[in-house]
Amino acid sequence: MWDPAKYLDYQDERARPFYDLLARVGATSPRRVVDAGCGPGNLTASLSSRWPDAVVEAFDSSPDMVEAARANGIAASLRDVTSWVPPADTDVIVTNAVLQWVPTHREVLTRWVDALPPGAWLAMQVPGNFRAPSHELVRKLVATSRWSRSLDVRDEDAVSEPQEYAALLAAWGCSVDVWETTYVQRLTGEDPVLEWITGTVLRPIKAALDAAEWERFRYELGSLLRDAYPPNADGSTWFPFRRVFAVAHVN
């Protein structure tokens, strides 16, 4: 279960990659713009602001996120990216920090490209930090005997490298713009890295544990993360966060 409030704890930091992605989309007068995996809808409104004459469609697979998006004034629907098919008039698809949850997302991307009209744009962004200490320590802790069970932990190959997305989309006849950025976030508060990943990678783990187990897991992981990401003298913590971007223009 997604917790929209927890996800928005670092709203500004999570929003920046979305705007960096959108800046590389060259569409001028699209008919339909789709936010595939819109989350709580806090960023969807910017699509309407940029393209006021377009139909803006938003959906998410989480009922909690859809409810939050609707509360934010977004006409979001409950759908799954793996089964959604772009309508014929779709000129822009934006999918931000979603496809890392979809093991078959590479096939999804090519299926979307096949369905898009010439001149359409497909813009995606995924976290690229699955080999970072924040994720490696989660996998290490889950693998210990006291936690060894069917907990949903994504492995280091959950997303591809930038050049792999470039090759994939170019092979489907697109002009591609692919890059990566590491944002060095300055986090504050107690156990800030733990709080950051609680809203994302730890979500399925929290859902699988009862309250007491979850508190024990947080306690053990928090200790590991404090060693990996020691605080600065002023109490803040530097948190490098790598992101992978791809913008495809359908020829």
Side-chain angles (χ1 to χ4, degrees):
M1 179 179 295
W2 277 98
D3 181 348
K6 174 58 68 176
Y7 184 80
L8 292 174
D9 276 352
Y10 296 98
Q11 183 173 173
D12 290 343
E13 292 88 345
R14 297 193 195 280
R16 184 178 172 187
F18 176 87
Y19 293 114
D20 288 350
L21 175 68
L22 208 60
R24 301 298 296 168
V25 176
T28 55
S29 54
R31 295 164 294 173
R32 180 180 299 270
V33 176
V34 180
D35 190 353
C38 63
N42 57 305
L43 299 174
T44 308
S46 65
L47 301 177
S48 296
S49 297
R50 177 169 173 181
W51 295 295
D53 295 328
V55 174
V56 174
E57 177 182 347
F59 67 86
D60 201 281
S61 63
S62 163
D64 294 313
M65 287 297 195
V66 169
E67 182 180 353
R70 290 173 177 171
N72 285 329
I74 304 300
S77 59
L78 185 66
R79 293 180 181 173
D80 192 323
V81 297
T82 61
S83 57
W84 176 75
V85 177
D89 64 346
T90 303
D91 291 321
V92 177
I93 299 175
V94 179
T95 180
N96 181 62
V98 174
L99 296 181
Q100 72 274 13
W101 296 101
V102 183
T104 60
H105 73 266
R106 299 156 187 87
E107 290 80 6
V108 169
L109 288 171
T110 56
R111 179 166 53 79
W112 287 354
V113 168
D114 276 340
L116 290 173
W121 297 79
L122 170 58
M124 59 160 282
Q125 180 269 127
V126 289
N129 62 336
F130 291 97
R131 292 180 173 85
S134 55
H135 287 59
E136 288 183 345
L137 291 172
V138 172
R139 292 193 293 267
K140 177 181 177 181
L141 182 57
V142 167
T144 60
S145 58
R146 59 190 174 280
W147 295 112
S148 58
R149 62 178 73 186
S150 298
L151 294 178
D152 184 9
V153 181
R154 289 164 296 164
D155 62 29
E156 59 187 22
D157 296 320
V159 302
S160 297
E161 290 299 307
Q163 62 269 27
E164 294 174 292
Y165 288 121
L168 174 71
L169 293 167
W172 246 254
C174 297
S175 300
V176 296
D177 181 7
V178 181
W179 72 99
E180 64 177 81
T181 299
T182 298
Y183 299 90
V184 181
Q185 312 283 14
R186 189 169 195 160
L187 305 183
T188 59
E190 185 176 356
D191 287 331
V193 176
L194 177 63
E195 292 301 322
W196 176 286
I197 66 174
T198 294
T200 53
V201 67
L202 296 184
R203 176 190 59 83
I205 294 176
K206 181 180 180 181
L209 301 176
D210 63 34
E213 290 173 328
W214 170 240
E215 287 306 314
R216 286 202 304 275
F217 188 91
R218 274 179 53 89
Y219 177 81
E220 294 182 29
L221 181 59
S223 177
L224 297 172
L225 291 173
R226 284 191 294 275
D227 289 340
Y229 300 93
N232 302 312
D234 65 358
S236 65
T237 300
W238 294 118
F239 180 51
F241 200 119
R242 177 177 178 252
R243 302 273 186 159
V244 176
F245 302 78
V247 174
H249 191 202
V250 181
N251 295 321

